[in-house]
Amino acid sequence: MLIQNRKEKIIIIDFGSQVTKLIARRIRDLGVFSEIITIKDLYKVKDFSEIKGIILSGGPSTVTKKNFLKIPKKILLKKIPILGICYGLQLIAKLFGGTIKSLKKQREFGRASLVKRQNSVLIKNFFKGKKSLVWMSHQDAVTKLPKNFKIIASTKESKLTIIENTKNKIYGIQFHPEVTHTQNGKEIFKNFLFSICNIKKRWHVFNEKKRLIEEIKTIVKKDKVICALSGGVDSSVVALLVHKAIKTRLVCIMVDTGLMRKNEFKHSYNLFKKKYKLNVKLINASKLYFKNLKNISNPEKKRKIIGKLFIKIFEKESKKHKNIKYLAQGTLYPDIIESRSSSGSQSSKIKSHHNVGGLPKRMNLKLIEPLKEFFKDEVRILGKSLGLTNSIRNKHPFPGPGLAIRIIGPITPKKIKILQEADNIFIKELIQNNLYNNIWQAYAGLLPIKTVGVMGDSRTYEYTCLLRAVISEDGMTADYFSFPKDFLDKISNKIVNGVPGINRVVYDITSKPPSTIELE
Ligand code: XMP
């Protein structure tokens, strides 16, 4: 379903590529609203007047087989500019009579050198000479040009890497301009948007605040809304938005599980209560959490216990408030995209935040999800427009089960305390050394192994602290952050000297995949 009516937008038809989301990001970053839709959604579009351009994404399907994902050719002939990327190019070629073959021996994965053959509006400022480095990921290639198309650029393996039919404003490229490994990929999008689609740079998430508040007012009317506030950026922005719309008819519940970072919960509670004047109820449930988690080592069991307990506490508390009709939730755009398949069917599992999943049905509440059109970075900007303090706005993501999944093995209050201290030293140093905002997520974890150390003249036998810091765009993949050696030396010293219970510090140098960001 198209989410919104807008005056102008670009739609991206998702054929299932892992990086479709990045296309939408790049376009929005250029000041144009973009929306990802499924093939099924496309059939429901009656009015194309607001659609100024269509991008066909990559995907795992192959036009060399009998059954492949397709869209009606007449959509491509509406004189709305089309840009096909990877599978999108192959589909265009197939629909217009070209030939596509499987590159059994010479598949192209990774960087490739693209050579310019002739000029095109699409490649203005893209080549800095005759060649440019692009990112390829394909097994099929177009081997015969469709009628009325011409070749713009080639690589060694695929001659038809950029093709165009200017009369019908149809363009196809085999490489991925949306990934950062493609040099100057942004120029392709710029040219497509501003020179081919003739769309104007008018959209910015900062200006969405007013519309969102009005929308919440219209939906909620005189009813009440409840929300689980964790102090993370998503739930904080949701709470501020809903509060601006309906003031004290928003009830915020903060459940202190005892599994949060040092002093963080107290700090957020005071901020929302005193500075933002929200109607917040704080529930201290740490004893209950420790009791329920006693001797539990299995990661999935830990997660389930924490999630179920949260629902129980939240439900009990909400019953104290009469006439609540809505639950406000910080679902983001990637959650929506990931929960549906490219052919349009809803996949079985909708990814939901562990501690609110299941709540709306159980409590008979309707959902409001004001952030469902936005990416995380955009939510941070929305937060800015709402006056949300930088310490929350720029906060690294934090998992619902909290420190429980950063301590391997059973949780005890003592281990939590040790970890909170180590983590606090690490995070503070990141902030002081201006590294915090360059890192997507960083934390300290506690490994259950004790090792021998020596401090002064005494033998120690204590836990190992693991430090993790990653850079990422959306948490789906991540690379470990390369710290200068001096910084690691300093942190290791500070933690071992400052935190009784830890005598060894290690730095995790695995990326995702094969590891995950969290330990459990
Ligand atoms: P992984 O460990 O799967 O984490 O690589 C990817 C991102 O998801 C966060 N994460 C969670 N967030 N509830 C959350 O709200 C959870 O149960 C949960 N588990 C992982 C993790 O912190 C990282 O940002």
Side-chain angles (χ1 to χ4, degrees):
M1 197 185 65
L2 292 180
I3 295 175
Q4 285 282 344
N5 290 331
R6 306 257 171 180
K7 280 201 190 82
E8 303 186 313
K9 71 162 113 177
I10 295 288
I11 59 167
I12 300 152
I13 301 173
D14 185 13
F15 290 100
S17 157
Q18 295 288 320
V19 285
T20 301
K21 271 183 300 185
L22 294 182
I23 305 175
R25 285 292 313 272
R26 302 289 174 251
I27 290 173
R28 289 182 182 196
D29 287 349
L30 288 167
V32 173
F33 186 74
S34 66
E35 189 173 342
I36 298 172
I37 69 167
T38 63
I39 301 171
K40 208 169 156 190
D41 294 334
L42 181 67
Y43 283 97
K44 293 185 204 147
V45 180
K46 299 271 176 295
D47 177 11
F48 278 78
S49 61
E50 65 192 28
I51 298 170
K52 303 297 173 207
I54 300 176
I55 296 184
L56 313 179
S57 85
S61 186
T62 168
V63 300
T64 61
K65 296 259 163 69
K66 206 170 157 211
N67 285 324
F68 58 91
L69 291 179
K70 53 172 135 352
I71 54 170
K73 188 174 168 184
K74 62 175 189 218
I75 302 253
L76 305 183
L77 294 171
K78 281 183 179 292
K79 292 272 158 78
I80 299 174
I82 309 284
L83 176 66
I85 296 176
C86 195
Y87 179 75
L89 156 80
Q90 294 158 15
L91 181 63
I92 289 170
K94 177 80 181 173
L95 294 175
F96 287 91
T99 306
I100 296 90
K101 288 212 172 119
S102 186
L103 297 170
K104 284 200 181 73
K105 284 201 190 118
Q106 299 288 353
R107 297 178 308 175
E108 269 189 310
F109 287 102
R111 284 197 173 86
S113 175
L114 184 71
V115 180
K116 181 171 152 184
R117 306 269 295 267
Q118 54 182 306
N119 275 329
S120 157
V121 183
L122 189 68
I123 57 167
K124 197 173 78 191
N125 299 328
F126 178 68
F127 287 91
K128 298 296 176 217
K130 270 262 170 228
K131 290 185 179 174
S132 195
L133 273 186
V134 297
W135 186 259
M136 290 285 206
S137 177
H138 67 123
Q139 313 210 33
D140 293 350
V142 184
T143 52
K144 192 186 127 220
L145 200 61
K147 212 173 149 200
N148 300 325
F149 278 76
K150 61 183 185 190
I151 308 175
I152 303 301
S154 315
T155 65
K156 202 166 147 237
E157 304 309 335
S158 39
K159 294 278 165 286
L160 308 176
T161 297
I162 304 183
I163 63 171
E164 70 174 24
N165 169 337
T166 43
K167 188 165 158 258
N168 288 314
K169 298 192 177 170
I170 302 176
Y171 299 79
I173 53 184
Q174 184 56 70
F175 60 91
H176 290 268
E178 68 275 27
V179 304
T180 46
H181 308 299
T182 292
Q183 260 176 7
N184 312 321
K186 198 173 163 186
E187 300 300 326
I188 297 277
F189 290 117
K190 262 194 196 164
N191 296 331
F192 181 66
L193 295 176
F194 305 123
S195 303
I196 296 169
C197 302
N198 288 322
I199 199 162
K200 295 273 173 314
K201 185 176 175 167
R202 281 193 244 258
W203 184 83
H204 198 283
V205 65
F206 197 85
N207 306 325
E208 293 284 290
K209 177 181 89 176
K210 214 168 131 207
R211 180 184 65 79
L212 290 168
I213 293 171
E214 286 310 311
E215 229 171 66
I216 296 167
K217 279 186 189 164
T218 314
I219 296 171
V220 177
K221 299 195 179 77
K222 295 274 173 244
D223 289 314
K224 276 189 179 173
V225 179
I226 197 162
C227 121
L229 183 57
S230 70
V233 60
D234 306 341
S235 66
S236 301
V237 172
V238 167
L240 288 187
L241 267 176
V242 179
H243 177 73
K244 289 246 188 280
I246 62 164
K247 302 287 179 239
T248 50
R249 278 182 291 123
L250 168 70
V251 178
C252 299
I253 311 278
M254 291 185 85
V255 179
D256 187 355
T257 59
L259 306 169
M260 307 297 280
R261 286 190 148 124
K262 188 179 174 183
N263 294 333
E264 203 165 83
F265 223 63
K266 227 183 349 216
H267 171 76
S268 317
Y269 173 72
N270 286 334
L271 196 76
F272 284 105
K273 188 97 189 155
K274 295 194 180 125
K275 181 170 176 192
Y276 300 116
K277 311 264 185 276
L278 262 60
N279 177 7
V280 196
K281 175 82 193 282
L282 179 73
I283 299 165
N284 189 340
S286 55
K287 279 198 181 131
L288 200 60
Y289 273 88
F290 284 124
K291 195 172 143 214
N292 278 264
L293 287 168
K294 198 170 173 190
N295 297 328
I296 304 291
S297 325
N298 181 295
E300 277 312 296
K301 261 196 189 155
K302 273 187 196 171
R303 282 175 174 273
K304 285 213 174 92
I305 290 170
I306 295 168
K308 277 192 186 146
L309 200 54
F310 185 90
I311 290 182
K312 221 165 121 186
I313 296 167
F314 190 87
E315 202 177 3
K316 190 173 156 206
E317 185 54 39
S318 60
K319 281 191 180 141
K320 296 179 187 163
H321 303 269
K322 296 273 167 286
N323 304 325
I324 290 184
K325 244 197 186 156
Y326 294 93
L327 175 76
Q329 198 168 277
T331 314
L332 301 187
Y333 196 34
D335 302 334
I336 303 275
I337 302 165
E338 278 154 29
S339 66
R340 62 190 188 194
S341 74
S342 45
S343 53
S345 59
Q346 288 288 323
S347 67
S348 55
K349 191 167 162 237
I350 296 200
K351 190 178 152 203
S352 48
H353 192 290
H354 90 101
N355 47 14
V356 281
L359 267 175
K361 253 195 197 154
R362 214 170 133 138
M363 292 167 55
N364 213 6
L365 293 173
K366 290 185 188 163
L367 263 186
I368 43 173
E369 300 173 301
L371 308 183
K372 68 171 189 276
E373 296 169 49
F374 305 108
F375 293 102
K376 188 108 185 167
D377 297 356
E378 294 173 338
V379 172
R380 294 187 204 280
I381 298 169
L382 263 181
K384 188 172 186 184
S385 72
L386 290 158
L388 182 63
T389 164
N390 279 351
S391 64
I392 294 191
R393 219 164 56 75
N394 297 327
K395 211 188 262 184
H396 289 170
F398 187 75
L403 301 184
I405 57 168
R406 293 176 177 176
I407 294 176
I408 312 292
I411 313 297
T412 62
K414 190 176 162 206
K415 282 188 191 167
I416 290 281
K417 182 96 185 54
I418 293 174
L419 183 56
Q420 280 178 333
E421 294 302 328
D423 183 77
N424 190 44
I425 291 175
F426 185 34
I427 300 297
K428 262 192 175 159
E429 284 293 327
L430 289 177
I431 295 169
Q432 274 167 18
N433 289 273
N434 291 326
L435 291 167
Y436 187 84
N437 290 336
N438 300 336
I439 291 169
W440 200 73
Q441 194 167 10
Y443 66 85
L446 199 67
L447 303 182
I449 349 156
K450 282 190 166 184
T451 63
V452 175
V454 55
M455 281 183 91
D457 291 329
S458 312
R459 175 188 190 268
T460 58
Y461 186 56
E462 292 179 324
Y463 291 117
T464 302
C465 168
L466 171 142
L467 302 178
R468 184 119 171 94
V470 294
I471 43 175
S472 173
E473 192 135 15
D474 55 8
M476 301 287 282
T477 59
D479 288 319
Y480 73 85
F481 187 77
S482 291
F483 285 112
K485 182 178 172 297
D486 291 358
F487 181 80
L488 288 174
D489 291 350
K490 186 158 80 175
I491 295 291
S492 168
N493 259 319
K494 281 205 161 176
I495 292 178
V496 173
N497 290 327
V499 188
I502 292 176
N503 68 351
R504 197 173 290 268
V505 175
V506 295
Y507 184 50
D508 186 343
I509 54 161
T510 32
S511 293
K512 174 186 180 179
S515 288
T516 52
I517 295 176
E518 300 295 342
L519 296 179
E520 291 191 331

